[in-house]
Amino acid sequence: MKITELLTQETILLNIEGNGKLDAINQLVDTLYSAGKLTDKDTYKQAILKREEQSTTGIGEGIAIPHAKTSAVKSPAIAFGRSISGVDYESLDGQPANLFFMIAAPDGANNTHLEALSRLSTLLLKEEVRSKLLNATSKQDIISIIDSYDVEEESVEENIADKKNFIVAVTACPTGIAHTYMAADSLKAKAAEMGVDIKVETNGSGGAKNVLTAEEIENATAVIVAADTKVQMDRFNGKHVLETPVADGIRKPEELINRALKQQAPVYQGGSGSSSGEGKAEGKKGIGSQIYKHLMNGVSNMLPFVVGGGILIAISFMFGYNSADPNDPSYNAFAAVIKYIGEDNAFALLVPVLAGFIAMSIADRPGFAPGMVAGFMAAQGGAGFLGGLIGGFLAGYLVIGLKKLLEVLPRSLEGIKTILLYPLLGIFFTGLIMNYVIMEPVAAINTGMTNWLSGLGTGNAVILGIILGAMMAFDMGGPINKSAYVFGTGLIANGVFEPMAAIMAGGMVPPLAIALATVLFKKKFTKQEKDAGLTNFIMGLSFITEGAIPFAAADPLRVIPSVAIGAAVTGGLSMFFNIGLRAPHGGIFVVGLVDGNPLLYLLAIVIGAIIAALLLGLLKKPVQQK
């Protein structure tokens, strides 16, 4: 099937209006809908946005390929759009996107359709194609350009296992339509340029193509897995495996190939039945990065319970601080139910869920049950958040040990391990260690820390707030930011709410300050930065600190100190005003639910944002006008 059977004049938009990502997406969706290619415009758009949440489809070089596979597509189609001035599409190279190919694939798309769609993505790697498309003057020109380069090639599965010093790779993206094949072609093209032998398996929507053989894997110098979705990994046991996002296969092929040739990748040690490419190759990773990954897995799965439960508790206080107490004059039955749901149930699961998912990150599913039990014991025994952390890691690594010990059992008993032996022995030994070794000393430490934080004087509380606020702004979503955030969420589980308020307020400051600076000091920012600055108002109010990252990356020596100082001031003021927060997220939407005066809390945020914005205006140099 030719690409131009899917891309027609009715699905071409020569001039995209506006310079925002949503502007481009909305107009391309409308184009497909007007051409009769969609049965449900809204459902298709949501599928496109969901794909964007996984990773941007702005692949760089001025190209964006938003795509989705959904039942809302009536027939396979491609919409082409063009913006001469460029659209801020959050592209991988940070540059505006000019050429857009929106791919619509129905759930029942056959291999012929999918091959045509993937072929389009490979054409766009050619600079001459991009240049001609950008300069085309009519819809027919667009069709002619694509047609002239659209040559169907037969798929030849070459066995190169007998060649020396070659590498193998697997590419895969969530939809298996565009990025999978672009990454494969980018790796193959760069390898040919470097004189390196490579074979690339593509895990696309039409199934795996050019599948790697056991002989090829055995003889390969190393393996590159450029994937954002699950890949069969056990076949790579004992090989140097370089795991990376599929976007790196498109953007950084030379770097990946050089690292593979030098075997600058950990040796993969897979577990029984593993089929995921999500970080199993940890052999040479530092212990710190491993612990951080497991901890973040626990925290991210715990957060919905903290957010939902915390907001429900805060809402119950709107009826009166003691409205859930039947013996209080302010008693309200509905408020009591809300608090019961949030505090006695959602909050009761915080520590078990944290521990369970830490253990699962370490030992896969067999670690989950022992981890949950360890977390529940910590919560019930007064060891709290700290006990849950220890219990999760204990359970995970204990199950890893059990797996190694039980490897001697016959393969005929493989099924009974997961059903019986891992949960039985994992829960038993984890429970014993928690009960006799962990619980009592950790409970004492946890109680002491909680009492110390609750009894902090004003001066010490302000200092703590300053430190936490600065940490939130220092790397904006990185390890330091996350450390402060984990500290705050852990204290919520222990009933200490003031540090979390300082943490969220501090995290709101960087994007708010940048947005404010782009308005007050317009001559010191480019047009693209000013446009992005406006979106930072929304991100800041929503407590999405990461909105400030592009500005910090472009000018770290001026931006980071400015926002860190502003966030530190905000954190200190929040603690000074004695503000508590039971919900660790929500930004402006939960300010009215804080413990304390919400107006003072807002004042703390505003003061910090203004200070940071003024510092930015003072330190940044004016943009040189061309």
Side-chain angles (χ1 to χ4, degrees):
M1 172 178 277
K2 299 285 285 183
I3 293 172
T4 47
E5 293 180 49
L6 304 176
L7 175 66
T8 63
Q9 292 197 37
E10 290 74 23
T11 60
I12 292 177
L13 183 64
L14 288 178
N15 296 298
I16 288 178
E17 298 178 357
N19 55 11
K21 184 173 185 175
L22 275 178
D23 294 329
I25 288 175
N26 286 334
Q27 291 170 64
L28 291 168
V29 171
D30 287 341
T31 300
L32 286 169
Y33 187 71
S34 299
K37 304 299 182 182
L38 308 177
T39 58
D40 188 329
K41 180 169 69 172
D42 292 335
T43 299
Y44 176 72
K45 178 183 173 182
Q46 289 306 312
I48 287 287
L49 295 177
K50 185 176 181 180
R51 173 62 186 87
E52 293 296 325
E53 289 175 1
Q54 295 170 331
S55 62
T56 181
T57 58
I59 62 173
E61 305 292 346
I63 303 169
I65 311 180
H67 53 275
K69 185 180 179 184
T70 167
S71 58
V73 177
K74 185 185 297 182
S75 59
I78 301 170
F80 170 79
R82 184 177 63 182
S83 171
I84 301 300
S85 60
V87 169
D88 181 8
Y89 203 84
E90 303 168 2
S91 298
L92 296 174
D93 59 1
Q95 299 301 311
N98 305 98
L99 301 174
F100 301 84
F101 288 86
M102 179 173 280
I103 298 173
D107 278 339
N110 58 36
N111 286 350
T112 304
H113 294 140
L114 295 172
E115 286 166 7
L117 295 173
S118 66
R119 208 160 59 247
L120 167 69
S121 64
T122 63
L123 294 182
L124 298 177
L125 292 173
K126 299 178 180 179
E127 185 179 354
E128 59 192 282
V129 175
R130 301 195 299 267
S131 178
K132 288 182 178 180
L133 290 173
L134 199 58
N135 293 302
T137 58
S138 68
K139 294 182 178 181
Q140 184 54 51
D141 286 348
I142 300 293
I143 298 290
S144 300
I145 293 166
I146 295 294
D147 231 6
S148 65
Y149 286 91
D150 183 16
V151 179
E152 296 190 44
E153 299 178 357
E154 293 186 6
S155 177
V156 179
E157 296 197 7
E158 179 191 8
N159 190 312
I160 54 176
D162 58 338
K163 297 185 179 180
K164 302 298 182 183
N165 196 32
F166 78 95
I167 57 179
V168 294
V170 181
T171 62
C173 69
T175 54
I177 295 175
H179 286 53
T180 299
Y181 302 99
M182 294 192 77
D185 282 356
S186 181
L187 285 167
K188 288 188 286 187
K190 183 55 68 173
E193 181 184 314
M194 297 168 65
V196 175
D197 290 320
I198 188 171
K199 180 175 179 180
V200 185
E201 174 186 309
T202 54
N203 288 0
S205 290
K209 299 291 179 65
N210 212 32
V211 177
L212 303 175
T213 67
E215 186 182 10
E216 288 165 341
I217 294 170
E218 176 65 26
N219 291 342
T221 302
V223 181
I224 298 172
V225 177
D228 290 335
T229 188
K230 290 187 177 181
V231 169
Q232 181 60 42
M233 295 291 291
D234 281 351
R235 52 188 168 155
F236 303 136
N237 278 349
K239 303 298 295 185
H240 291 274
V241 178
L242 177 59
E243 295 185 75
T244 187
V246 69
D248 285 353
I250 301 171
R251 301 293 305 159
K252 305 175 181 178
E254 184 172 6
E255 176 186 328
L256 297 181
I257 291 170
N258 280 327
R259 288 177 62 189
L261 291 174
K262 296 175 183 177
Q263 295 188 327
Q264 293 176 345
V267 174
Y268 182 80
Q269 302 292 339
S272 176
S274 173
S275 62
S276 172
E278 297 171 357
K280 292 276 188 174
E282 293 182 337
K284 292 185 181 178
K285 287 184 180 178
I287 186 66
S289 65
Q290 293 184 40
I291 290 173
Y292 178 75
K293 186 198 76 170
H294 302 320
L295 174 61
M296 286 301 104
N297 189 62
V299 170
S300 64
N301 283 286
M302 177 189 75
L303 278 181
F305 296 88
V306 186
V307 173
I311 291 177
L312 286 175
I313 295 169
I315 290 173
S316 75
F317 290 151
M318 295 174 68
F319 294 88
Y321 194 77
N322 296 312
S323 59
D325 183 358
N327 299 316
D328 193 89
S330 66
Y331 174 72
N332 181 288
F334 184 63
V337 170
I338 294 175
K339 188 178 181 185
Y340 169 70
I341 295 170
E343 186 172 287
D344 297 344
N345 291 278
F347 263 35
L349 290 170
L350 299 186
V351 176
V353 168
L354 170 75
F357 279 95
I358 288 175
M360 187 175 179
S361 177
I362 297 169
D364 292 328
R365 292 184 64 180
F368 186 66
M372 285 286 289
V373 171
F376 189 74
M377 292 179 69
Q380 296 297 307
F385 183 78
L386 183 58
L389 286 178
I390 296 172
F393 283 101
L394 167 67
Y397 286 114
L398 191 147
V399 171
I400 289 290
L402 285 175
K403 285 183 176 182
K404 293 189 179 299
L405 288 174
L406 296 178
E407 283 178 353
V408 298
L409 294 180
R411 291 188 63 84
S412 59
L413 297 178
E414 193 68 32
I416 205 172
K417 290 181 184 178
T418 303
I419 297 172
L420 175 64
L421 297 180
Y422 292 149
L424 173 62
L425 298 177
I427 291 172
F428 175 67
F429 287 115
T430 300
L432 284 180
I433 297 173
M434 287 293 294
N435 188 70
Y436 289 110
V437 179
I438 305 296
M439 296 287 291
E440 190 172 340
V442 174
I445 293 171
N446 184 63
T447 301
M449 182 178 68
T450 302
N451 291 338
W452 175 74
L453 288 166
S454 300
L456 278 178
T458 301
N460 289 332
V462 169
I463 292 173
L464 178 61
I466 289 171
I467 294 171
L468 292 174
M471 289 175 70
M472 288 299 293
F474 184 76
D475 57 357
M476 306 173 204
I480 296 174
N481 171 287
K482 287 293 190 292
S483 297
Y485 191 73
V486 170
F487 177 72
T489 53
L491 292 177
I492 288 178
N494 290 347
V496 180
F497 309 112
E498 290 78 12
M500 191 66 239
I503 287 165
M504 188 174 82
M508 292 169 70
V509 165
L512 287 175
I514 283 169
L516 190 59
T518 59
V519 172
L520 296 178
F521 308 102
K522 294 183 178 181
K523 293 183 178 181
K524 298 196 174 185
F525 297 91
T526 65
K527 182 182 183 301
Q528 185 179 354
E529 287 174 332
K530 285 182 283 189
D531 290 341
L534 296 176
T535 65
N536 269 265
F537 273 117
I538 299 172
M539 299 183 82
L541 292 173
S542 302
F543 183 37
I544 303 175
T545 315
E546 288 83 351
I549 289 177
F551 293 84
D555 191 5
L557 295 180
R558 295 179 178 86
V559 173
I560 292 176
S562 299
V563 297
I565 291 170
V569 170
T570 289
L573 287 174
S574 176
M575 294 293 280
F576 178 78
F577 294 144
N578 198 30
I579 306 295
L581 181 64
R582 297 167 185 266
H585 219 294
I588 193 68
F589 304 103
V590 297
V591 166
L593 304 178
V594 298
D595 296 347
N597 191 322
L599 294 179
L600 289 178
Y601 190 48
L602 280 174
L603 179 64
I605 296 169
V606 169
I607 290 174
I610 291 174
I611 289 174
L614 292 175
L615 286 172
L616 277 170
L618 179 66
L619 295 176
K620 282 187 72 68
K621 296 180 179 179
V623 174
Q624 295 295 322
Q625 300 297 325
K626 293 184 180 179

